[in-house]
Every structure is written in structure tokens, then in C-alpha cells.
Amino acid sequence: MMALTSRETLYAKVKNLNELLWGDHVTLPTLESWLDNFSGGHLSQEIEHRHALYLLSKFLYFGQTEVRELLRAMFRDLIRGPLSVHARAALKDRDDFGAVHAGFLRELDRTRFLGLGTPAESGPHILYDFRLANDLPTRAFSSPADLVTGPLNDQGTKWRSPAVRRLVFVDDFCGTGNQATALGREAVRPMREAATRSGVSLEVWYLTLFATTTGLSNLAGAKVFDHVATVSELDETYRVFEADSQLYGEPGSDLQKDDGEAIARHYGKRLQPTGPLGYGDSQLLLGFHHNVPDNTLPIFWAEQSQPPWRALFPRISKQ
């Protein structure tokens, strides 16, 4: 009987995933080129290839269609829902659904959506998809500079529009929470100060498509944002080599998690010496059509000329 984790079985799984979910992103030549990276430097090449294919069969890859569906869920569950509850609470007749909807639209009109980071980074990048997915007007989107009367850190700068009372930063992924905290402090503090000078009480949210449990906790604890939420939370079981990982240990499998970790760490050290299993030892298998978080195992996204390493899901560096 063919082993569950035979090379042929794993190839078939990856082929199905590629055709059904990955939009043919992983072509056969691309896959073979990536597998050639695993040259038998730690275990035999045959075992390394099977582990690489196994990890790939567990990879969570989201194309543009899937990202837009997630962005619709973000608006429905994390924005429309809470704002409608807020609007309903202010009504005498809370069963007047027409009035609730009108109240929601007023709250939405007081809200501006922003990306976290520079325009070239993934946070601002997904704002376009967010707008299209939810049929929102362009006036609902702003940059920090659009919202104030002068330079952000100038003591004389004030809030440009008193009607705007809520900012929602939209992001694709929160790993450790460090980056969102740093970028948030850089942008949010001066905007709050400008709003305060104008007598405006500003509410600031951070919403993301995916976040680790640790990242959410760290970001909430930093108190940069008034409200932090995610569409999908990745707990410790998504860390591929953790003791309680949901990704290894299929019935009948002859692949050992310790071997998989040793292979990923062996090549990961060469690619990312300070984070061989992903930034912050995140150990994730996650990627989007527009980029791959550096919290994902580097064996999937890193590229190197010497010694050569070809990425399967190349990451666009911030540098």
C-alpha cells in the first residue's frame, strides 16, 4: 500500500491545491526548481523533498479573489456590525431597522480608512481591494496628511475635518505586533494631538485579515489603538513545529515533525540567520498574492544568489 506521505501522493495534493485554490501560481517548472534547493544537505534528498512537499501541502495561500472575500468579511463583521450596534444603542426605538441603517451610514460617514505604513507596503496596498470589495466611495479613504492642516508633528497643526471622528487602519497581517505598534505610534500620536487641539475626540481602530494570538495581545497591550480585531486569528497550533501543531501528525504519516523542523532550520539559517523559522520564530505557512509575511518559513519566500536559492512564493522586501 502506498504511504500517505509518498512523493506521488504529496505531488497530487499540491497539484489539486494549485488548480483549485492557488490560481496556478505554482507551475511544475517552478515547483521543480524550488525542490532542487533541497540538495540533501541535512537528510537524504528524497526525505528533504517529501518534507518540503508536505509543508507546501499545508501552505495557506490567498489569491486576489480570496483576499477580497476576506475583506468583505472584515467590513461586514468588524465594521458594519459594530457601527450598527453603536447606532442602534442611540435610538429610542431599537427595532426601527431603517433608522438603524441610517445611523450606520452616519457613523460610516464619520469614518476614514487608512493603510498602515508607506504607500508601497502591503497595508496601504490592500486598500484598493478593500474599497472595491465593499463598494465604498473614494472619499472614505485618506492619508494622515489629508486629515490635518499642516505637518503632522507641528504644534500648530489642527484637525482638518471636525466631522471625521474615527480612523480605521486596514492591514493584511499582524505577526508579533511589533511593526504595527511602531508604525501606529508614528502616525496615530500626532493625529490624536492635532484632533485634540481642534476639540475632536478621535477613535482609532486597527483591523487585519490575519493575526497571531500573540500579535493581537501585544498590539492591544501597547494601547496605540482603541480597538484591535482580526478576521482570522492564528493560535499556537498554526506554528508548524510546535508541540500542539495541527499541521503535522496525520494518521499513517511516516514523516517526523522533528525532521521537518531540522530541515527547515538547516536551510533557513542560511537564508535568514536571525530568523530561520520566520521573524520572531513565528513558524507560519501563510502567503498572499501581493506578498508573503516574513513570519512565514524563509524556505518558501527567501531568494539568494550564493549559494543559490529560488523562492516558491517570493517576498517583496521593504528595502
Side-chain angles (χ1 to χ4, degrees):
M1 182 176 178
M2 185 178 291
L4 176 68
T5 48
S6 71
R7 186 182 173 100
E8 292 74 18
T9 300
L10 293 168
Y11 253 113
K13 282 186 177 182
V14 169
K15 183 175 182 291
N16 287 337
L17 286 168
N18 186 50
E19 291 174 354
L20 298 174
L21 298 176
W22 298 348
D24 286 327
H25 178 86
V26 179
T27 64
L28 182 58
T30 302
L31 177 58
E32 291 292 349
S33 179
W34 179 67
L35 285 174
D36 284 344
N37 294 317
F38 300 91
S39 57
H42 184 70
L43 298 175
S44 75
Q45 189 173 49
E46 185 267 339
I47 291 177
E48 289 187 359
H49 281 196
R50 286 203 293 140
H51 274 282
L53 286 167
Y54 180 82
L55 289 169
L56 178 57
S57 74
K58 301 297 183 181
F59 199 92
L60 298 174
Y61 178 81
F62 295 88
Q64 186 175 56
T65 299
E66 290 75 29
V67 167
R68 287 192 178 179
E69 284 302 316
L70 288 165
L71 290 168
R72 290 188 186 98
M74 175 186 281
F75 186 79
R76 181 190 65 234
D77 300 338
L78 305 184
I79 299 169
R80 179 187 291 275
L83 293 187
S84 295
V85 168
H86 181 77
R88 191 175 185 219
L91 296 174
K92 289 183 179 179
D93 182 0
R94 297 186 177 183
D95 293 327
D96 185 342
F97 295 108
V100 171
H101 182 64
F104 158 71
L105 292 178
R106 283 193 299 273
E107 290 299 324
L108 187 61
D109 200 44
R110 295 169 180 163
T111 303
R112 293 294 181 270
F113 298 100
L114 303 89
L116 198 64
T118 68
E121 294 181 67
S122 58
H125 177 88
I126 65 167
L127 285 179
Y128 177 74
D129 281 341
F130 179 75
R131 182 175 70 82
L132 292 184
N134 296 295
D135 195 25
L136 295 168
T138 55
R139 69 174 183 276
F141 296 81
S142 295
S143 70
D146 295 332
L147 295 166
V148 294
T149 60
L152 271 179
N153 290 304
D154 192 301
Q155 293 299 311
T157 295
K158 294 189 177 181
W159 199 239
R160 188 179 296 277
S161 177
V164 176
R165 301 296 179 108
R166 182 181 300 105
L167 304 181
V168 177
F169 284 87
V170 177
D171 207 356
D172 55 359
F173 177 72
C174 172
T176 61
N178 295 341
Q179 183 183 44
T181 297
L183 291 172
R185 282 177 176 153
E186 184 180 332
V188 173
R189 180 189 55 77
M191 286 196 290
R192 285 194 194 274
E193 291 174 354
T196 299
R197 291 186 201 108
S198 301
V200 173
S201 178
L202 195 61
E203 189 178 317
V204 187
W205 295 11
Y206 172 88
L207 305 180
T208 185
L209 297 180
F210 289 88
T212 67
T213 300
T214 299
L216 277 182
S217 176
N218 290 342
L219 193 54
K223 300 188 182 304
V224 174
F225 303 96
D226 301 306
H227 176 64
V228 173
T230 185
V231 176
S232 183
E233 183 173 340
L234 306 178
D235 62 19
E236 290 295 297
T237 66
Y238 284 89
R239 299 182 69 208
V240 62
F241 303 122
E242 281 299 294
D244 56 352
S245 169
Q246 61 175 284
L247 302 175
Y248 264 93
E250 290 184 356
S253 173
D254 63 332
L255 293 179
Q256 300 299 310
K257 182 170 58 181
D258 288 348
D259 287 341
E261 179 178 356
I263 293 166
R265 193 179 291 278
H266 171 78
Y267 291 105
K269 244 181 199 180
R270 179 203 302 176
L271 299 166
Q272 295 289 314
T274 60
L277 300 184
Y279 178 77
D281 192 38
S282 297
Q283 304 181 25
L284 296 181
L285 302 176
L286 176 69
F288 306 101
H289 72 96
H290 55 274
N291 211 356
V292 179
D294 60 3
N295 309 78
T296 289
L297 297 184
I299 57 172
F300 286 101
W301 55 262
E303 291 193 302
Q304 193 176 69
S305 56
Q306 287 299 328
W309 188 276
R310 295 184 181 180
L312 190 62
F313 301 101
R315 171 175 162 79
I316 302 170
S317 172
K318 297 179 187 298
Q319 303 302 321

